[in-house]
Amino acid sequence: MVCLDHQCKANGGIDMLTPFARREEPCICQVPKYWPYCNAAKRFSSVVMNKTDGSEWDDFRWRRRIETFGEDDRPVLASGPQDMVDTVCQLGEITDKGRETTLALGQRLRHLYVDQLGFMPKIISDADSIYLRATPMSRALESVQQSFVGMYPPSARTASFPPPTIITRAPADETLFPNVNNCRRFSQLTKAFAQRTADRWNDSKEMQYLNSLISKWMLASSPRVAVDSHPRLSGIMDTVNSTLAHGPNTRLPSAFYDPKGRDIIDRIGVEEWFSGYKESAEYRTVGIGPLVADIVTRMVGSVQENGSGDGVLEIAGVEGDMGMGRGGKQGIRFAMSGCHDTTLAATLSSLGVFEDEKWPPYTSHVAFELFQNESVATARQSSPQASGGETKAPRQSFLGGSRKTVKTKGQEQNLTRKPLEGMSQEERDQLEGYYVRVRYNDRPLIVPGCKVPGKHLDGDESFCTLASLSISRKLFRDS
């Protein structure tokens, strides 16, 4: 599974974003309200009904222009620098640079998983073995689409390739980001940790340094830079990062890009937003626990190959059907989700692998890779298990082998959502020989909880046993 930071700040995302919210305008350093970095606005397409009985549909192509208030509140066209009107971005929209970087990420994924490892096919006739999902934010969906096209461009899809399925959720049900708006307890916890950060840093020498740099551009109603100023320090960081990613027409004064100042802002922002995951089991549980549980569920479901856990039921099948994919596909091979920077850092912090890290840069991604030990797979193929009478052929993985499971007797119990501490030894044995590697921006990580002998592949601590990563009450912070 690959989780993309949709923002390229995040994501993760993974796209370059215009500022999230319109700031009150303090003075001469005001960033232009509208940015001219969205050429997609000239090329939009929507689905329209052509007949009232619903028997005929078509694509309606259109361009977007944005209207706003002008002098005396009269309507005027929004324009960017040099009076550009046809490429103006909405706040928080993926920009051309974001599309470029997410497309390039998809191309890197193809180079790794298709060209180098041969794990994914070179050409696909459908996407029924690829689990795609995005948050309700359009930039997350567009990031997934761009990365998918990078991984499987038109030349790598057959002429009859059907539209791929992309899973979305209602905001209240979303787990691809820490859902502070729909969990009252998590909201309380985030406010408490944010206040602690403000209490710790607002009167520090580091904050004094920031004020010496940029306080003259703050609002009269909030003249000092602070964790909880208006705008918040994390909001200033968003704007600094977004402006750095784009052209000179949307830059702040040079003081905002002071290296020491940016380092201080980053350090405080990471503490405010992610220290809770390191310090509190409850914070991890309500903040990122649902997503972590989903990831483990997908991996265990892939191991069991029972179709109920890896996502194939949601993705595969012709219209109106769920289950086996077109072409006989029975499982998910690759998953890609459009997430956010807060998703990535929250997950890595909960795993204990975000120590001394900076805020996730644009187009960041985290990959969870499932491996099977080839020697264990071969042993299972040659010797039916004592219980259940199953013979399993070695699964195709990065370590070799084929994928098919042949069941000769009995049916495995669904373990996809069962906590490890509640499994019998027989059930735990089903996870033996499987390993998980976590990579952050193409860099393998060593999870502290997997350093213990028996919890990783002999000779390589970056390969955690699947059992050690199975759903735990401590949510991966074991040491």
Side-chain angles (χ1 to χ4, degrees), residues 131-414:
Y131 181 91
L132 302 174
R133 183 178 157 193
T135 72
M137 298 181 186
S138 61
R139 60 182 178 268
L141 174 63
E142 290 162 340
S143 295
V144 167
Q145 293 168 341
Q146 288 288 166
S147 295
F148 177 80
V149 170
M151 187 171 181
Y152 281 105
S155 60
R157 291 175 261 148
T158 62
S160 60
F161 185 85
T165 300
I166 301 179
I167 300 293
T168 62
R169 291 191 179 192
D173 297 332
E174 190 54 78
T175 61
L176 282 180
F177 54 72
N179 204 331
V180 68
N181 292 325
N182 289 284
C183 177
R184 184 175 300 177
R185 179 55 180 159
F186 186 49
S187 177
Q188 293 172 339
L189 290 170
T190 57
K191 290 176 181 177
F193 274 88
Q195 185 59 53
R196 188 190 70 171
T197 304
D199 294 341
R200 178 179 294 172
W201 289 97
N202 279 355
D203 296 322
S204 66
K205 62 180 181 180
E206 288 85 357
M207 197 65 70
Q208 291 175 11
Y209 181 79
L210 293 179
N211 275 280
S212 71
L213 287 174
I214 61 177
S215 64
K216 63 182 177 181
W217 289 291
M218 293 294 287
L219 297 168
S221 58
S222 183
R224 291 193 75 257
V225 179
V227 172
D228 49 0
S229 60
H230 183 74
R232 295 185 70 88
L233 187 61
S234 58
I236 295 173
M237 179 178 66
D238 274 340
T239 302
V240 169
N241 290 340
S242 293
T243 56
L244 269 178
H246 294 88
N249 290 324
T250 51
R251 286 290 170 88
L252 295 162
S254 59
F256 285 86
Y257 307 115
D258 176 77
K260 180 180 176 181
R262 290 189 63 209
D263 183 69
I264 292 171
I265 293 173
D266 188 278
R267 191 180 348 140
I268 296 174
V270 168
E271 178 179 325
E272 177 189 1
W273 284 77
F274 308 124
S275 60
Y277 298 101
K278 299 178 182 180
E279 301 176 26
S280 168
E282 183 183 15
Y283 202 105
R284 295 191 292 273
T285 299
V286 297
I288 205 64
L291 175 59
V292 170
D294 287 347
I295 293 172
V296 175
T297 292
R298 302 295 183 198
M299 292 189 291
V300 175
S302 181
V303 167
Q304 287 200 290
E305 293 184 329
N306 54 23
S308 64
D310 67 353
V312 70
L313 291 181
E314 297 101 301
I315 292 293
V318 297
E319 183 177 347
D321 290 338
M322 296 187 300
M324 184 180 295
R326 288 161 283 202
K329 300 173 181 66
Q330 299 181 41
I332 296 298
R333 300 283 289 164
F334 186 87
M336 182 161 53
S337 297
C339 304
H340 301 255
D341 48 1
T342 52
T343 314
L344 306 188
T347 303
L348 297 176
S349 295
S350 297
L351 287 167
V353 291
F354 202 66
E355 305 296 331
D356 302 320
E357 293 280 355
K358 291 185 176 296
W359 194 281
Y362 286 132
T363 323
S364 289
H365 68 285
V366 173
F368 289 85
E369 300 172 328
L370 179 63
F371 294 79
Q372 184 181 23
N373 188 310
E374 189 173 16
S375 62
V376 174
T378 303
R380 286 178 176 168
Q381 180 185 27
S382 60
S383 177
Q385 296 179 6
S387 61
E390 284 190 4
T391 301
K392 286 194 174 184
R395 297 163 51 88
Q396 182 178 340
S397 72
F398 305 136
L399 304 181
S402 61
R403 191 175 192 277
K404 186 177 180 182
T405 295
V406 181
K407 294 192 175 184
T408 59
K409 178 183 176 183
Q411 180 70 35
E412 291 177 338
Q413 181 182 357
N414 190 333

Side-chain angles (χ1 to χ4, degrees), residues 409-427:
K409 178 183 176 183
Q411 180 70 35
E412 291 177 338
Q413 181 182 357
N414 190 333
L415 303 178
T416 56
R417 214 67 178 180
K418 192 169 184 177
L420 180 65
E421 49 267 44
M423 292 183 189
S424 66
Q425 187 58 52
E426 180 182 336
E427 290 169 337

